[in-house]
Amino acid sequence: MTVKLAIIYYSTYGTNHQMANTAAEAARAAGAEVRVLKVPETAPQAAIDSQDAWKAQQERSADVPEATPADMEWANAYLFSAPTRFGGAASQVRAFIDTLGGLWGEGKLANKGFSAMTSAQNPNGGQETTLQTLYVTAQHWGSIIVAPGYTDKAIFASGGNPYGASVTANGQPLSEEDKATIRHQAKRLVEISAKLAE
Ligand SMILES: Cc1cc2nc3c(=O)[nH]c(=O)nc-3n(C[C@H](O)[C@H](O)[C@H](O)COP(=O)(O)O)c2cc1C
């Protein structure tokens, strides 16, 4: 069965948007049908307008479709990418997750591959806790967590996080090491989700 992968991201400054696009390229190469979707922004426009970098990212992602519960029903695999905010996923991502109660009640989030990525300003600023708290949600859904572990050398080269790709964000384009680990995570998610969907 074809893997239908929803890559759901939020990005204020562009890091997680780049991560989502990198994962999408690798997932398509692995044979998946992919939707790259941003979660709806919840911050007031005045807050966005007050920061040039935030406004620039809003303009860069203007054409990216917004994630809806219908996308979650369509997909048979999920890859979430969320910036770390005080040790957890950005509230925009949590707000989207909070719209999924109906689907959860119908069991439509269960038995699908789930993997997560994040970025934070600091290497020890909460990257692992953000991933773990997203995985807690996946367990409530009955999704099947597909963490990368240490299944590829790329993971060691990009900081060694076995829970998921995590970028130390500095406003720059992603490093080749980070891109390699994201590509591996996306490919592995597609391969394992294909087996789950058999
Ligand atoms: C309100 C707020 C809270 C944040 N909390 C943390 C944090 O706990 N640890 C950390 O290392 N970085 C923290 N950051 C930095 C973000 O993680 C960083 O801006 C983000 O990963 C960049 O991703 P993006 O380019 O996709 O928006 C915080 C940023 C904001 C605005």
Side-chain angles (χ1 to χ4, degrees), residues 10-17 83-87 119-122 125-126 169:
Y10 175 73
S11 190
T12 303
Y13 303 117
T15 312
N16 286 267
H17 188 187
T84 292
R85 295 271 189 271
F86 306 127
S119 70
Q121 189 180 345
N122 307 283

Side-chain angles (χ1 to χ4, degrees), residues 86-167:
F86 306 127
S91 62
Q92 288 85 348
V93 173
R94 296 300 326 177
F96 174 68
I97 285 171
D98 288 357
T99 68
L100 302 175
L103 280 186
W104 165 81
E106 295 168 28
K108 291 190 170 159
L109 303 170
N111 306 327
K112 299 177 176 183
F114 182 108
S115 205
M117 309 189 289
T118 188
S119 70
Q121 189 180 345
N122 307 283
N124 298 108
Q127 301 182 7
E128 298 183 9
T129 49
T130 299
L131 296 172
Q132 293 294 4
T133 47
L134 286 167
Y135 289 145
V136 167
T137 295
Q139 290 171 84
H140 283 245
W141 292 351
S143 299
I144 311 298
I145 294 170
V146 185
Y150 292 101
T151 53
D152 193 89
K153 277 187 291 195
I155 293 154
F156 295 94
S158 64
N161 190 337
Y163 309 116
S166 62
V167 169

